[in-house]
Amino acid sequence: MSTYHCSVKAGNKGSGASASAKADYICREGKYADKPDLEHKESGNMPEWAQDSPRVFWHVGDHYERANGRVYTEIELALPREISPEQRRELVQNFIREQLPGHPYTVAIHNPKAALEGGEQPHAHIIFSERKLDGIERSEEQFFKRAAAPYRDRKTKEMVTPDPAKGGAKKDLSWHKAEKIVEIRKAWEQHYNRYSPEQVTCR
């Protein structure tokens, strides 16, 4: 029987969250390398300096992100066990392409055995940065600085729009709103039901 699950969680630096530790955990790297349930992992939308090693992105974010900032946001998804691993990968990739355009992300699909009946229990962990690529190449430190925002000139009293390259990559703050989470949960229902022979509802 298919079960709907879609949760969104924030990894706040001020609360001790570590994006690099989370990436290691979901990708089964470092001290988690002996866990046998990894079905697939990949990263995307990385800035130039993290293209060859997405793991670097999360380490750099831990270092440069503001003390009270989110170092990652995580979406956790239950996947249909009735479809193939290739179909599960395609399902998750389509969801990411639609819902996280421009956001640096790492995704891992785990497929452990369920504790009770011993069947498959496939699920995905997506971690992403609220910051979005905008076509401007920034250094590691610059990427995580506060984005350049319009301000009022003290002398002329006119609004000034600064060069976005002077600041960091801008964050999508809609991820802090309850309406966004409702939207994501509904979107996942639609994606899931395109692939699963058993339909689910986010309600």
Side-chain angles (χ1 to χ4, degrees):
M1 179 179 177
S2 294
T3 302
Y4 178 90
H5 176 73
C6 173
S7 66
V8 182
K9 310 167 192 175
N12 294 302
K13 188 173 182 178
S15 300
S18 166
S20 54
K22 174 60 75 169
D24 282 352
Y25 172 74
I26 69 171
C27 291
R28 302 309 195 221
E29 296 177 355
K31 65 181 180 179
Y32 306 104
D34 61 342
K35 290 185 175 292
D37 59 349
L38 181 68
E39 186 172 281
H40 176 72
K41 64 180 178 181
E42 66 178 70
S43 298
N45 298 333
M46 290 291 167
E48 186 64 32
W49 45 266
Q51 288 286 328
D52 295 332
S53 179
R55 200 162 179 252
V56 168
F57 179 84
W58 304 113
H59 280 275
V60 171
D62 282 340
H63 182 71
Y64 286 118
E65 190 60 81
R66 298 197 306 274
N68 62 344
R70 291 187 182 186
V71 286
Y72 68 87
T73 300
E74 178 182 16
I75 304 176
E76 188 177 279
L77 306 165
L79 302 173
R81 66 172 65 174
E82 301 87 358
I83 62 178
S84 69
E86 292 75 18
Q87 289 173 313
R88 285 194 286 265
R89 184 165 66 247
E90 183 180 281
L91 165 58
V92 173
Q93 288 170 337
N94 287 341
F95 177 74
I96 291 172
R97 191 176 300 115
E98 177 186 281
Q99 298 299 324
L100 300 174
H103 289 279
Y105 73 87
T106 293
V107 57
I109 296 176
H110 299 164
N111 193 9
K113 297 294 182 183
L116 295 178
E117 75 274 19
E120 293 183 334
Q121 201 172 38
H123 59 277
H125 297 267
I126 305 166
I127 61 172
F128 66 95
S129 172
E130 290 179 350
R131 298 180 185 274
K132 297 183 71 173
L133 302 186
D134 57 7
I136 298 172
E137 288 298 330
R138 296 176 175 88
S139 67
E140 296 178 3
E141 181 176 3
Q142 185 75 18
F143 188 89
F144 292 98
K145 285 185 177 295
R146 188 183 298 274
Y151 63 93
R152 190 175 298 279
D153 187 276
R154 291 182 179 179
K155 292 183 179 180
T156 66
K157 306 302 181 184
E158 294 182 355
M159 292 300 296
V160 177
T161 302
D163 180 357
K166 301 291 186 181
K170 189 175 182 180
K171 287 189 172 186
D172 179 357
L173 297 180
S174 68
W175 288 95
H176 295 231
K177 299 178 180 179
E179 309 91 86
K180 181 68 172 182
I181 308 309
V182 172
E183 175 188 318
I184 289 296
R185 287 176 54 80
K186 181 63 178 177
W188 177 244
E189 173 194 302
Q190 295 169 346
H191 279 269
Y192 188 106
N193 287 339
R194 292 190 192 111
Y195 281 79
S196 176
E198 295 186 20
Q199 303 294 279
V200 297
T201 173
C202 62
R203 296 189 297 273

